[in-house]
Amino acid sequence: MQLSGLPLIGRERERAVLARAVAGLSAHHPAVVTLTGAAGFGQDALLRWAAGLAEDRGLRVLRAQGTPGETDLAYGAVNQLVGPAADTTPEGPAGPSPGLAELLRTARDRPTLLTVADVQWLDPHSLRWLQALVRRLPGAPVAVLAGASGPAHLVDPGAPGPLPVTRLVLRPLDSAEVAAAVALVCGGPGQERFTAAAADATAGHPAVLHDALRRFTDAGHQPVDAQVPRLRAITAAVTADHATRALRGLPAPAVAALRALAVCGDLLDFPLVWTLLDPRPEHEAGLRETLEATGLTAPGTGAALRLPGPEVRARVLEEMPAGERADLYARAAELAHRAAVDDAAIAALLLAARPVGAPWAVHALRRACADALRAADHGRAIACLTRALEEPLDREQRARLSLELASLEVVEAPEAGDRRFARILRSPGPELAGARMRAADLALARGGNDVVRRALADALPVARDGERDALTALFWLAEMGRHDDTDLLLHEVPALPGHPASPAQSGVRAWELALRGEDLLTTRALARGAFADRGDEGALLLPRLVACRALCLTDDLDEAAQRLDVLLAEVRRGPARAAAALVLTARGELSLRRGRSDLAERDVAAAERALPQGHWHPLYAPYARAVRILVALESGDRERAQSLAALPDPDASWNSMAGAHLLFARGLVAIADGRPVEAVDLLLAAGRRLLRLQYDNPALVPWRSMAARACHALGHHQEAQRLSHDELALARRWGAPSAVGWAELGVGRAVREERTARLREAVRLLRATPATMACTGALIELVTAELDAGRRQIAAPLVAELTRLTAAHPGSRPATRARALAQRLGRPPSFTGHDRPAAWAALSEAERRTATLAGLGHGNRDIADTLSVTTRTVELRLSGAYRKLRISGRAELRALVRSMEGYDTDVA
């Protein structure tokens, strides 16, 4: 007989045993052989092969096969073996074993082979009949071959029988046998990685391997390594198809168990999964044997039993009614909770479950949301909070979760988030006052569309006390950043008082005065009042953020920096990504004013990670891009600044303050690129937007002085002087030394007479302020003027001062200008060994950089930020440097570094 076909690959041992059993029949030797293993491992094929071998030898062959549909049909398999002529009813006259005597009698004349497939499906009467036959086999020329998916108990495996039973357990194919199958089905040997992938994807399952390779080959593919992904995809589909066929023949308890395994088999041991079944089978061990026999399960860790892949899990669950499936997931989630499974796994179950109505479910979903946020998986975080809102919650809990969810939806679904904010704003009840204020705050931090603004206007008439004060402040703050002649409902909102007692209104009023450049002392006091502790109202983000920006304009940069650090720590504790990005951008702008382009670059990069540029609201996006452009310019990245400036504007930015910021930044790019005509147009356009909003403070955006600079380059000296003197008048009215110093610098650039005197005055004013960037710019202009006039001795100490200011950031644009001016002055040669302290060479690289920055006047915190270390590390490095240099402290270190004038003190 021709031995071919994939299912018989790797079954040489089994075929040899079956061949001996068939050969023994010719000598009237009886035999009993059972073939067991997972479904699809070749039991039926081996039985057919043995039957064919017996027929070729002239032996009589009787065949029967158990089926799920006949498990309740008495003597169903017996009828297949001996025919329906015998009376095979349980109470019939033929007795308990109908036809058995006749079979044994006729076998004496013609040896007989009985093959019984799928013994696991035999009805009890047929099984007892076969067991009776086995007991009568000694001396009879009859062989019984039985195949089963799972154990085949033709005789009690624990008791000795009258005839030895040969039990063959079929195993998966090994790698060599899989390679042989690939060569047989695909018409040639497969490449090494392809064959390994076939073995891994099919787990050596013969039937799955055969079908997968057949589909693969029929599609015209070759067994090469490049086709591994396609093979895996086909195998996954074939495995799912086998699962579907296997499910159709399983009893209800086994199907229920497979569904439970599909839901939580990867998480829980099988004894726990078994408790989910309803109704629950009587014997767990028997059920496990049945499941393993299907070929759909594989052993997991410990006592776990799992399904092989997502495709099989989906196929097992897809025919389950939706309600039952949701209930199963809910019960599995509760079981996983009791078993202390991790929150992410419990949340995955709850996402597909009906509401469970228990507090632990909400807690698990919120913790899973936090874990997802830490992993930057915002889609999953949103899904967890959305599911948590399906649970029974009181109004305050629901409002709090809705706030968190709306804050998360900034990137994935901003319009949905705005509608959620609006619903909270319209929710009645005094107990939700805090939620309403927080909703307005976070919604406007994102930008707030018309839906939010209308909801805010609707909430104001019914708000009381502190809530009314806070919502009023937020409404007017939203109006400050935009100008829309078609705005509605403004007459229904009360104006801000001149000297409010409310922290939120204090912050907004301070920002309003700062924008208009009026009353610096009152502005400063009101800005500080925004941080008064007044419960929920005092914890609002936006009023405190604009108060920080007002403090920047009053030259209180250090205080503003500390306040911004606190705000950032607060928003980072929650999911408010838009708010975090806004605070980071404001801190980046502040760092620029302080001359720390490195810190500014860090902050704008963090803001981009928190909220990618394409997801900013149109009212804030221009401001964020403007700060990024300015950071790129100061960092010396001209190409980056140009690419950012070339991006299109959001339509909604046309009449906004943020749009003016962007025009100003583009104007500076045009100046840097040597395009003064375009620069004038951009800067004057920025000015027109600010004038339309009545924001005159030059400390906000010094558009006049920069436009004057471009006009001066074009030879429009009269216009340049007019613009620069206008800015100086406004700066003096405001009174901040940095604004006046910058305006003096602008005048010095624009005038022909008294240029040097103006620049000296600008430097004098700016030295006393924390506006290091402005001071550096003024020093560059003054050094250039002194060198142009031939006053090299006056320029030399200024160059040294400029070098100290820029040494910590050697790649920045001011540092580049400083080096060029030093070269123009005539840089002295580097120190030799006897000019430089001998101990300086003994410093480690880290100590040298730290000591240089300290000697240049930087504080420990600034040094730590620059070098990306802790302040404690800075302290330890300085202690080591003092000891090696044999100096007592910072004063001597400063004198030492200044004596070297930056030579051999590069901190790059």
Side-chain angles (χ1 to χ4, degrees), residues 480 498-499 508-519 522-523 526 697 734:
M480 286 182 193
H499 297 278
V508 176
R509 176 63 176 159
W511 184 231
E512 182 181 36
L513 292 175
L515 291 175
R516 295 180 177 177
E518 300 173 357
D519 199 345
T522 300
T523 299
L526 288 171
N697 194 344
W734 173 237

Side-chain angles (χ1 to χ4, degrees), residues 438-459:
R438 184 71 172 153
D441 191 32
L442 292 176
L444 295 177
R446 194 194 85 76
N449 63 8
D450 290 340
V451 173
V452 172
R453 294 174 65 249
R454 291 193 193 98
L456 178 55
D458 292 342

Side-chain angles (χ1 to χ4, degrees), residues 690-753:
L690 293 173
L691 291 174
R692 187 182 300 115
L693 294 166
Q694 300 180 22
Y695 299 154
D696 292 330
N697 194 344
L700 177 68
V701 176
W703 60 271
R704 294 175 181 85
S705 58
M706 298 311 296
R709 179 179 177 181
C711 287
H712 185 73
L714 291 170
H716 303 159
H717 303 298
Q718 186 174 358
E719 179 66 8
Q721 292 183 27
R722 183 188 69 79
L723 288 168
S724 58
H725 280 98
D726 285 349
E727 181 164 310
L728 181 58
L730 291 168
R732 286 172 174 166
R733 187 187 77 170
W734 173 237
S738 66
V740 177
W742 183 267
E744 287 282 5
L745 173 61
V747 173
R749 286 167 170 164
V751 298
R752 296 180 178 180
E753 305 294 334

Side-chain angles (χ1 to χ4, degrees), residues 466-696:
E467 181 190 358
R468 182 173 177 81
D469 291 340
L471 295 183
T472 300
L474 291 171
F475 186 92
W476 287 114
L477 180 57
E479 294 305 308
M480 286 182 193
R482 64 200 302 275
H483 178 79
D484 190 348
D485 295 334
T486 64
D487 230 350
L488 303 175
L489 304 172
L490 295 184
H491 62 282
E492 298 182 9
V493 181
L496 291 176
H499 297 278
S502 158
Q505 291 189 358
S506 292
V508 176
R509 176 63 176 159
W511 184 231
E512 182 181 36
L513 292 175
L515 291 175
R516 295 180 177 177
E518 300 173 357
D519 199 345
L520 183 145
L521 294 179
T522 300
T523 299
R524 179 182 287 137
L526 288 171
R528 289 170 175 166
F531 297 92
D533 186 12
R534 283 278 301 275
D536 288 339
E537 182 193 351
L540 294 181
L541 167 74
L542 278 183
R544 289 183 292 162
L545 176 58
V546 296
C548 290
R549 296 186 68 186
L551 288 173
C552 289
L553 302 189
T554 62
D555 279 356
D556 298 290
L557 298 186
D558 291 339
E559 181 179 353
Q562 293 173 0
R563 304 282 193 189
L564 284 173
D565 289 345
V566 172
L567 283 183
L568 186 59
E570 286 183 15
V571 296
R572 278 179 165 168
R573 285 198 291 268
R577 299 177 64 193
L582 196 57
V583 174
L584 283 164
T585 302
R587 196 172 72 169
E589 183 188 12
L590 181 145
S591 295
L592 273 184
R593 291 176 181 268
R594 301 172 79 187
R596 296 299 306 272
S597 59
D598 56 332
L599 298 183
E601 194 168 4
R602 179 197 66 185
D603 283 337
V604 297
E608 176 70 13
R609 289 193 298 272
L611 190 66
Q613 187 70 23
H615 296 284
W616 282 74
H617 191 279
L619 288 176
Y620 286 148
Y623 168 64
R625 183 141 52 97
V627 174
R628 293 171 67 199
I629 291 171
L630 296 177
V631 169
L633 282 175
E634 286 303 305
S635 300
D637 191 349
R638 182 82 61 83
E639 185 177 344
R640 176 65 172 161
Q642 291 168 341
S643 64
L644 288 170
L647 294 175
D649 293 344
D651 294 337
S653 70
W654 179 251
N655 286 321
S656 68
M657 181 172 61
H661 278 279
L662 181 55
L663 286 172
F664 176 77
R666 282 176 165 165
L668 297 193
V669 173
I671 290 176
D673 290 345
R675 296 179 279 118
V677 175
E678 184 178 346
V680 170
D681 290 341
L682 290 167
L683 293 166
L684 292 182
R688 285 192 296 272
R689 294 194 187 186
L690 293 173
L691 291 174
R692 187 182 300 115
L693 294 166
Q694 300 180 22
Y695 299 154
D696 292 330

